[in-house]
Amino acid sequence: MQRKILLYGVLFALAAMILASCSNTRFLTGDRILYTGKKTIFISDSAKLPDRSVVQTTKSVTAFKPNNALGGKRVLLPVGLWIYNYRKPTEKKESPGWFYRTLAKEPVLISKVNPGGRCQKLESELFSKGYFHSRVWASIDTSRRNPRKAGIIYTIKPDQPFRYHEISFVPPADDVDSVINSFQPDLVLKPNDVFDLGKIKSETKKITARLLEEGYFYFNPACMKWTADTTRLPYRIDLRIGKKTDLSPNAYRKYSIDDITVRITQPVDSLRLPQPEDTVYFDGISLIAAGEPVKPKVISRAIYFRKGDLYSAVKQQQTMKHLNSYGIFKYLNLQLVPDPDSLVPQLDLSVELTPMKNISLDLEANVVTKSTGFSGPGFAATLAHGNLARGANRLQLKLDGGFEWQWSNNSSSTLGTVSYNVGISSSITFPRIIKPFTLFNTSRFSLPQTSVTLGWEFLNKIQYYRMSSSNLGFGYQWKKPDKITHAYNPLFFNSIVLLETTPEFDSILYANPYIRKSFEEQFIAGMKYSFIYDNSTTKQPNGFYFQAGISTAGFIYDNSTTKQPNGFYFQAGISTAGNLLDLFYKPSPDEQERPYSIAGNVYSQFLKLSTDIRYYRNIRDMSFVFRLYSGVGLPYSNSVVMPYVEQFYSGGSNSIRAFIARSLGPGSLEPDENSDIIDQTGDIKLEGNFEYRIKLSKVIHGAVFLDAGNVWLLNTDESRPGAEFRFDSFADQLAVGTGIGFRFDFNFFILRTDFGFPLRRAYATDGSNWLTTASDIVSGFVFNLAIGYPF
């Protein structure tokens, strides 16, 4: 094996040398020079640039990826450039093929980088940060070995930054000035702060937003005037804030809402013949439609304006979000038009909606292969009606299942010849809060939903058991404010029944009372709550996600969704079960009767908590993602262990990808590779993930990842030594894996492939947990195929 690895390494090195001998610069003509990257940024007096954000700005403005770059450095083999130069289609070919379009990369030239323009841009950026008299220039650093290759050296000569001396507002002369002056206590700019054009623009938007909420429909940021006087003191600014004096008369007027009209049109591709439109007046709104595709009260609930209300930009955004949240409209167009017939400033609100098809069918398929020899296909079919009873109520029916065969099955203790599962579930979601009585005020909730779920599943695991499960749920979801989502399930039932078992499974249960209890107590009745904060939906360059959970409730904070430069996601969850049922049995004086049962099933009683924190750092075509997950389940009173379905497991495509799902732990327990893994779950889970993501092409994205974690038992299990969690030893029981992956972004979905390689096991072999040889690491590789990102 060692000889083969050495041979492959030599062959790879020879291939790299041969490819490197293929010159790409010989295709360059005229004065074109291949860009090899930014050499350095020289700052003549770095003490004058104390602000790290200014230094980061200099790096971002001068950043430009050369060919075959990794992390901005020219280190990879120029495969894309080779393909572009040596596989370029000839004039005889009509168009390049998919291979060429996907992998070919045009040469990055010095002229394309435009160093002169970048210097001007950098001087402008430094000016906006208060460095008014700075100078920037660039020099071309030509390669000594090849004059057709060159890098760029940027030189910055900064000056002292300008700071605020006095900040004042123009004395109010009218109502607009009064609103502007009311912002003074909230102004973030303070004397002695360095001038920052970005903060001034941000404060301008905040002042404008306040005026818009007061009804000044035509007031915009361009109406504001910031006067800076730098003549009184050196490197000091006297700042005066007010509005421009030459504004249009409309900017001084408060506008109110007059007529509100909602028109529901037929889609252009509709096969129906055009029908006459009718007008219905409901709750002060004129509804124009052919027939009644949506109930008037559903539309009325999403319109946050009423006749006579002052214009509000917040209400306008809420109206659009609420209508979009129904998921039944293909197009939405909202317009506010001045009323030409009114003698007072008024706006007519016009909303045009185009419905989408009510019924949809989604089909999914996959193939599962396990190390135990089982393999087979899986499927899922989902039929949905998005506008049930014309109330934007979403009804969903789902049928899913799968089959698994074991090609080398020599055991006679089985329940048939094939493992399979089949399940059917249904749910209905109402776009409002439905409550039997007033528990709390829901009038201020944004995008409220009420959902009811019902499901049944049958599982035949031929080596061990036949099992059926039934579940029922009722819950709410709402936003308050926009980046925070609450999910609360006051009722949740799950009943799991073992129908038949094999002698092999019975022997496992007999030998391990802990596992036996986890399968016996699987009647779950409780509640759940989750809190989520997410600023990543706006995808900031830096995003963060945090989750905490407990089986009957949960908490989540997440700001990671839109790729902002810094994205954050936080989730916390909490859930509990069995408490209400236990109150029924509380009068019993004999505690020895436990565990109590209901309808012949022992009910579970537990508390489950989980947290999920994610941070996203996004830089141009690269992202750094950090994730920390933790969870704990606490059985009590009627339960001594957590039910099997509520226990944690580790490994798999969304966990530690170098290990298959449910193959880690608990603790340092060494698994039986010949079993189908039924006991590798735990009450405690800790997991950390790091992933570096880079865009290789428009479709193909690459990733390098590092995962670590494990699961543990809360209490000691004599039949599984080393499985319990201990603060002095849990770090030594962490499994570690690494790998690379590719994501194929087809816009409508992302196909993900991950190649995981174990570096460290949770248990020791020959006195060490680490895999010390390349053959052990390569032979343990795991391939994961999934849809979407893991986190």
Side-chain angles (χ1 to χ4, degrees):
M1 178 61 71
Q2 294 290 344
R3 289 186 176 182
K4 287 186 177 180
I5 295 176
L6 180 63
L7 178 62
Y8 291 151
V10 172
L11 292 176
F12 180 80
L14 290 174
M17 293 175 61
I18 294 172
L19 291 174
S21 65
C22 302
S23 174
N24 283 300
T25 56
R26 70 185 184 88
F27 293 92
L28 300 177
T29 58
D31 58 352
R32 297 197 302 169
I33 300 176
L34 187 67
Y35 173 62
T36 58
K38 176 177 60 181
K39 294 295 183 180
T40 186
I41 301 176
F42 176 71
I43 303 175
S44 59
D45 189 353
S46 59
K48 292 182 178 179
L49 292 177
D51 190 350
R52 292 188 61 185
S53 66
V54 177
V55 177
Q56 184 61 39
T57 299
T58 65
K59 294 180 180 179
S60 61
V61 172
T62 57
F64 199 94
K65 289 198 306 182
N67 291 108
N68 50 288
L70 178 64
K73 301 295 184 180
R74 190 169 181 266
V75 295
L76 300 175
L77 294 175
V79 177
L81 196 56
W82 289 332
I83 295 173
Y84 176 84
N85 287 323
Y86 291 95
R87 301 281 296 175
K88 183 182 295 185
T90 61
E91 296 181 357
K92 295 180 180 180
K93 290 188 176 180
E94 296 181 357
S95 61
W98 177 88
F99 178 81
Y100 181 86
R101 293 195 308 269
T102 303
L103 299 180
K105 299 291 183 182
E106 293 186 21
V108 179
L109 307 176
I110 291 289
S111 58
K112 187 175 181 180
V113 178
N114 188 11
R118 292 185 180 275
C119 290
Q120 293 179 6
K121 172 67 174 174
L122 189 51
E123 287 182 351
S124 176
E125 291 292 333
L126 290 171
F127 184 93
S128 70
K129 293 292 185 179
Y131 299 87
F132 293 164
H133 304 309
S134 300
R135 292 186 58 237
V136 183
W137 62 90
S139 55
I140 307 301
D141 184 18
T142 305
S143 171
R144 295 180 180 179
R145 293 183 298 177
N146 189 342
R148 290 286 187 180
K149 296 181 179 180
I152 301 175
I153 299 174
Y154 294 93
T155 304
I156 302 174
K157 185 178 181 181
D159 197 7
Q160 292 185 23
F162 279 70
R163 298 177 181 271
Y164 301 118
H165 180 233
E166 291 183 355
I167 303 175
S168 60
F169 283 73
V170 175
D174 52 36
D175 291 342
V176 174
D177 287 333
S178 297
V179 176
I180 295 175
N181 275 255
S182 70
F183 190 78
Q184 189 167 358
D186 301 320
L187 191 70
V188 300
L189 307 178
K190 305 297 179 184
N192 206 43
D193 286 351
V194 175
F195 173 86
D196 190 327
L197 183 60
K199 289 185 178 179
I200 287 180
K201 290 181 178 179
S202 175
E203 296 301 278
T204 300
K205 291 180 180 179
K206 293 178 183 178
I207 296 172
T208 303
R210 182 168 295 188
L211 283 158
L212 289 172
E213 290 308 297
E214 294 289 334
Y216 294 96
F217 177 71
Y218 282 101
F219 199 94
N220 58 69
C223 298
M224 289 293 297
K225 183 179 182 180
W226 298 70
T227 305
D229 184 0
T230 60
T231 59
R232 286 183 58 192
L233 295 172
Y235 298 102
R236 292 287 176 170
I237 301 172
D238 290 330
L239 191 64
R240 198 166 179 80
I241 305 170
K243 69 177 186 307
K244 292 180 178 178
T245 56
D246 56 345
L247 298 179
S248 166
N250 289 335
Y252 294 93
R253 298 171 179 169
K254 288 187 176 183
Y255 282 79
S256 60
I257 303 299
D258 191 18
D259 295 332
I260 302 175
T261 304
V262 177
R263 180 187 296 273
I264 303 178
T265 63
Q266 288 187 352
V268 177
D269 57 351
S270 176
L271 299 178
R272 293 183 178 181
L273 295 176
Q275 299 179 1
E277 294 181 333
D278 296 322
T279 301
V280 176
Y281 297 95
F282 182 86
D283 198 12
I285 302 172
S286 299
L287 299 172
I288 305 174
E292 194 180 83
V294 184
K295 289 182 178 179
K297 64 180 180 180
V298 176
I299 300 297
S300 172
R301 194 184 301 126
I303 305 296
Y304 286 77
F305 290 107
R306 289 300 181 267
K307 188 169 184 175
D309 290 350
L310 283 178
Y311 168 76
S312 166
V314 171
K315 288 185 178 180
Q316 180 179 346
Q317 291 297 321
Q318 287 176 331
T319 298
M320 296 183 67
K321 287 182 179 179
H322 203 146
L323 289 170
N324 273 318
S325 71
Y326 287 154
I328 61 175
F329 300 116
K330 184 185 299 184
Y331 304 111
L332 187 158
N333 183 20
L334 186 150
Q335 292 183 341
L336 288 153
V337 182
D339 187 352
D341 300 327
S342 177
L343 299 178
V344 295
Q346 289 183 324
L347 300 169
D348 289 335
L349 174 62
S350 175
V351 181
E352 185 172 326
L353 305 171
T354 302
M356 62 175 60
K357 295 179 179 179
N358 290 332
I359 299 177
S360 62
L361 176 63
D362 294 329
L363 301 175
E364 299 178 16
N366 57 59
V367 177
V368 176
T369 300
K370 298 181 179 180
S371 60
T372 54
F374 281 93
S375 61
F379 71 92
T382 304
L383 180 66
H385 193 300
N387 190 23
L388 187 67
R390 296 174 289 108
N393 307 309
R394 181 173 180 82
L395 174 65
Q396 181 172 290
L397 301 174
K398 183 176 182 180
L399 176 66
D400 61 344
F403 299 88
E404 295 179 0
W405 293 270
Q406 189 176 40
W407 301 106
S408 57
N409 181 21
N410 298 321
S411 175
S412 59
S413 176
T414 60
L415 299 174
T417 59
V418 60
S419 289
Y420 62 91
N421 68 287
V422 61
I424 184 169
S425 61
S426 63
S427 67
I428 183 168
T429 302
F430 304 92
R432 63 190 184 279
I433 296 294
I434 301 176
K435 49 187 178 179
F437 45 84
T438 302
L439 294 174
F440 42 83
N441 184 15
T442 61
S443 60
R444 294 187 178 182
F445 288 179
S446 177
L447 310 182
Q449 291 182 350
T450 301
S451 60
V452 180
T453 60
L454 178 65
W456 176 84
E457 184 178 13
F458 179 83
L459 174 63
N460 183 61
K461 208 172 193 60
I462 61 172
Q463 286 185 312
Y464 298 121
Y465 51 75
R466 287 193 178 106
M467 174 188 292
S468 69
S469 65
S470 304
N471 63 79
L472 172 66
F474 176 81
Y476 305 105
Q477 180 174 303
W478 69 93
K479 287 181 174 291
K480 185 186 179 183
D482 288 344
K483 292 181 181 179
I484 293 179
T485 301
H486 302 266
Y488 174 55
N489 289 75
L491 296 175
F492 180 81
F493 298 95
N494 191 6
S495 177
I496 301 172
V497 180
L498 282 174
L499 303 174
E500 189 176 358
T501 61
T502 65
E504 181 180 354
F505 182 72
D506 293 337
S507 64
I508 294 175
L509 297 186
Y510 179 78
N512 195 321
Y514 191 98
I515 299 176
R516 183 172 70 250
K517 279 288 185 181
S518 71
F519 274 91
E520 288 177 353
E521 301 175 8
Q522 297 199 93
F523 181 80
I524 304 168
M527 61 179 66
K528 298 180 180 180
Y529 169 77
S530 290
F531 172 94
I532 304 174
Y533 173 90
D534 187 357
N535 80 345
S536 65
T537 49
T538 51
K539 292 254 178 184
Q540 309 182 34
N542 295 299
F544 180 84
Y545 170 99
F546 171 84
Q547 173 185 1
I550 179 174
S551 289
T552 55
F555 174 89
I556 303 173
Y557 175 95
D558 184 357
N559 77 342
S560 63
T561 303
T562 45
K563 278 211 167 177
Q564 310 179 30
N566 294 295
F568 175 77
Y569 177 95
F570 165 79
Q571 176 181 2
I574 178 171
S575 64
T576 185
N579 296 326
L580 292 176
L581 294 176
D582 203 58
L583 289 176
F584 178 78
Y585 290 100
K586 210 64 174 177
S588 175
D590 189 3
E591 283 291 325
Q592 299 302 318
E593 293 181 7
R594 288 188 182 276
Y596 300 138
S597 61
I598 182 170
N601 294 318
V602 176
Y603 62 85
S604 299
Q605 196 168 4
F606 63 85
L607 181 69
K608 186 176 180 180
L609 300 162
S610 64
T611 62
D612 193 345
I613 306 173
R614 306 175 192 176
Y615 175 77
Y616 301 80
R617 173 60 176 165
N618 303 305
I619 307 172
R620 297 182 301 279
D621 293 335
M622 298 183 300
S623 295
F624 298 90
V625 185
F626 303 87
R627 175 177 179 260
L628 179 63
Y629 180 90
S630 62
V632 59
L634 305 169
Y636 60 90
S637 194
N638 206 55
S639 296
V640 294
V641 299
M642 292 287 291
Y644 183 75
V645 294
E646 291 289 341
Q647 293 178 1
F648 298 100
Y649 68 88
S650 194
S653 61
N654 294 324
S655 180
I656 304 177
R657 286 158 281 185
F659 299 87
I660 63 175
R662 298 179 179 268
S663 66
L664 287 175
S668 59
L669 183 69
E670 185 173 355
D672 181 2
E673 295 183 356
N674 296 321
S675 73
D676 200 17
I677 310 173
I678 65 168
D679 57 349
Q680 290 186 252
T681 57
D683 308 314
I684 299 173
K685 178 177 179 177
L686 290 175
E687 189 169 295
N689 309 89
F690 165 75
E691 186 165 291
Y692 168 71
R693 300 169 181 171
I694 185 171
K695 187 175 182 179
L696 302 177
S697 69
K698 185 177 181 180
V699 176
I700 303 175
H701 301 180
V704 179
F705 57 85
L706 180 68
D707 305 321
N710 202 351
V711 295
W712 293 265
L713 300 182
L714 191 64
N715 301 311
T716 301
D717 183 0
E718 295 181 357
S719 63
R720 291 185 288 179
E724 69 276 9
F725 180 87
R726 296 183 180 275
F727 283 101
D728 59 351
S729 62
F730 82 91
D732 293 331
Q733 298 171 350
L734 293 174
V736 180
T738 188
I740 61 173
F742 297 95
R743 291 87 168 96
F744 301 89
D745 189 349
F746 300 108
N747 293 325
F748 55 95
F749 81 100
I750 295 176
L751 179 65
R752 171 167 57 93
T753 60
D754 286 322
F755 301 85
F757 298 90
L759 299 178
R760 191 180 194 274
R761 298 189 183 99
Y763 55 90
T765 301
D766 297 330
S768 175
N769 295 59
W770 294 95
L771 280 71
T772 56
T773 64
S775 60
D776 288 340
I777 295 174
V778 173
S779 62
F781 117 92
V782 175
F783 173 72
N784 298 279
L785 180 66
I787 302 295
Y789 288 102
F791 42 82

